[in-house]
Amino acid sequence: MKHLLKLSDLSKSEILDILNLADQLKYENKNGLTHHLLKGKTLGMIFTKSSTRTRVSFEVGMYQLGGNALFLSGNDLQIGRGEPIEDTARVLSRYLDCIMIRTFKQSDVEELAQYGSIPIVNGLTDYCHPCQVLADLMTIREFKGTFKNLKLCFIGDGNNMANSLIVGCIKLGIKVSIACPDNYKPDEKIVEWGYAQGLLEITSDVFKAATKADIIYTDVWASMGQENEAKERMQAFSGYQINDTVMVVARKDAMVLHCLPAHRGEEITAEVFEAHSKEIFDQAENRLHAQKAVLVKVMQTK
Ligand code: CP
Ligand code: NVA
């Protein structure tokens, strides 16, 4: 595996290899075993959007693997003053061993990979959030013990999270049902692919989507960069909420996941959030372990 730009670039077995390594690294981490697999390596982390989990988990992950991480704010880099990505990619490739980037356009991430000569890891774009979904899949397997015969229901905006969940879950055989308003469907090509696999349903009916679901997932109604649409989105998404009524139609042992940050009272009620906080914060923790596995995979095959 050279890069992690989007999950559709990975095969099922590549995803499983990452998840298996993540489980192993988590076990070692919990048992105080050091694993300096990336000793002497440096990760550059470019952020043109905010972050709590991604930034901290990548940085700590590199330290735990014996390497270093540099936080590079998009505002401070010359990129923020118009230096082309193709030049930035070629320069940073001379200093760093890997770049993780969180930004708006997926094409910028792909361009970085095209012009650079080091592995590029996507830490979220408007299009997708592959690192999050790897941690989500790891968490699902921890709680359910398997990927077989599972249904995931995503309620809300057909955004970067929905796009990556469709791809990641379906590749592992998990059925996906998305409940979203008609104007906020996931990416058209991803939807087409999901339908072709026979494992995707898109509906505007929250209850239909949640029926007999093993995993109920949601994300914010307005993503980073959509702050000026917040008001119209509040209206469009009212009703697209995980609450006790929705949980009634899901399976009794359904787990609830949220990539965080969460807006209680909007996409999820405080009650459901707290009732499922074990899953949700294990999910957040698993960002660390899943990303360490990604870092090892991309830097070892360099
Ligand atoms: N879920 C997630 O990516 O969180 P951050 O925005 O805090 O990195
Ligand atoms: N859809 C959200 C995810 C945050 C982790 C956003 O892009 O802001």
Side-chain angles (χ1 to χ4, degrees):
M1 181 175 136
K2 185 148 192 265
H3 304 287
L4 176 58
L5 306 180
K6 52 188 183 301
L7 287 179
S8 51
D9 296 338
L10 303 188
S11 65
K12 176 179 178 179
S13 71
E14 281 175 315
I15 295 176
L16 286 171
D17 280 352
I18 293 169
L19 299 181
N20 294 341
L21 179 58
D23 285 349
Q24 183 195 325
L25 293 173
K26 181 171 182 175
Y27 173 83
E28 290 174 2
N29 179 257
K30 296 279 177 199
N31 287 282
L33 302 167
T34 49
H35 37 229
H36 287 170
L37 302 171
L38 299 179
K39 193 161 184 278
K41 305 270 188 197
T42 305
L43 171 75
M45 309 188 298
I46 302 176
F47 283 92
T48 68
K49 287 178 175 175
S50 306
S51 172
T52 297
R53 281 144 289 270
T54 305
R55 187 213 161 147
V56 178
S57 57
F58 266 104
E59 192 162 334
V60 170
M62 275 308 285
Y63 292 141
Q64 291 182 358
L65 289 165
N68 294 296
L70 294 179
F71 175 72
L72 305 167
S73 158
N75 291 331
D76 300 333
L77 292 171
Q78 295 286 10
I79 257 184
R81 296 177 59 249
E83 184 169 19
I85 294 197
E86 57 186 272
D87 294 355
T88 307
R90 285 180 286 186
V91 171
L92 293 182
S93 293
R94 305 288 180 110
Y95 308 138
L96 300 168
D97 298 289
C98 180
I99 295 172
M100 189 279 297
I101 176 166
R102 163 169 290 194
T103 193
F104 294 85
K105 285 158 59 186
Q106 179 70 14
S107 57
D108 285 352
V109 178
E110 308 265 350
E111 206 181 323
L112 207 52
Q114 185 188 339
Y115 288 97
S117 54
I118 55 174
I120 306 299
V121 176
N122 184 339
L124 178 146
T125 60
D126 292 345
Y127 174 70
C128 65
H129 197 0
C131 291
Q132 178 67 55
V133 169
L134 290 171
D136 300 344
L137 291 168
M138 179 181 178
T139 313
I140 290 169
R141 191 165 65 172
E142 279 178 350
F143 279 81
K144 298 289 174 195
T146 177
F147 291 120
K148 292 207 178 90
N149 298 319
L150 294 179
K151 172 182 172 181
L152 178 139
C153 159
F154 177 91
I155 297 175
D157 188 15
N159 60 11
N160 43 12
M161 280 312 313
N163 288 338
S164 285
L165 280 166
I166 293 172
V167 177
C169 289
I170 290 182
K171 279 200 180 230
L172 294 189
I174 301 174
K175 276 192 225 132
V176 177
S177 190
I178 307 273
C180 61
D182 281 343
N183 297 340
Y184 295 92
K185 288 189 180 148
D187 178 80
E188 218 172 291
K189 286 208 176 105
I190 291 180
V191 169
E192 225 173 82
W193 174 84
Y195 283 149
Q197 310 307 305
L199 289 174
L200 179 64
E201 173 184 62
I202 310 266
T203 170
S204 55
D205 183 342
V206 171
F207 291 95
K208 187 174 176 215
T211 296
K212 294 204 164 89
D214 302 279
I215 307 124
I216 309 261
Y217 200 120
T218 191
D219 183 17
V220 291
W221 290 342
S223 286
M224 290 181 276
Q226 297 171 334
E227 290 77 9
N228 59 355
E229 296 171 27
K231 219 170 153 197
E232 69 193 71
R233 283 173 168 271
M234 285 283 255
Q235 281 185 340
F237 289 104
S238 74
Y240 289 84
Q241 183 190 60
I242 305 185
N243 52 37
D244 287 334
T245 331
V246 171
M247 292 308 293
V248 166
V249 301
R251 289 207 185 272
K252 269 204 175 62
D253 61 351
M255 61 192 292
V256 173
L257 294 178
H258 193 310
C259 57
L260 303 176
H263 292 77
R264 291 166 176 78
E266 293 182 20
E267 75 274 4
I268 189 165
T269 60
E271 292 73 25
V272 174
F273 185 93
E274 288 308 329
H276 292 271
S277 55
K278 169 83 173 87
E279 291 118 76
I280 293 169
F281 290 106
D282 278 3
Q283 175 190 14
E285 178 189 326
N286 285 340
R287 293 292 305 278
L288 172 68
H289 310 297
Q291 283 155 203
K292 282 167 70 181
V294 168
L295 290 169
V296 170
K297 291 279 176 200
V298 294
M299 279 190 251
Q300 276 189 342
T301 56
K302 209 181 90 178

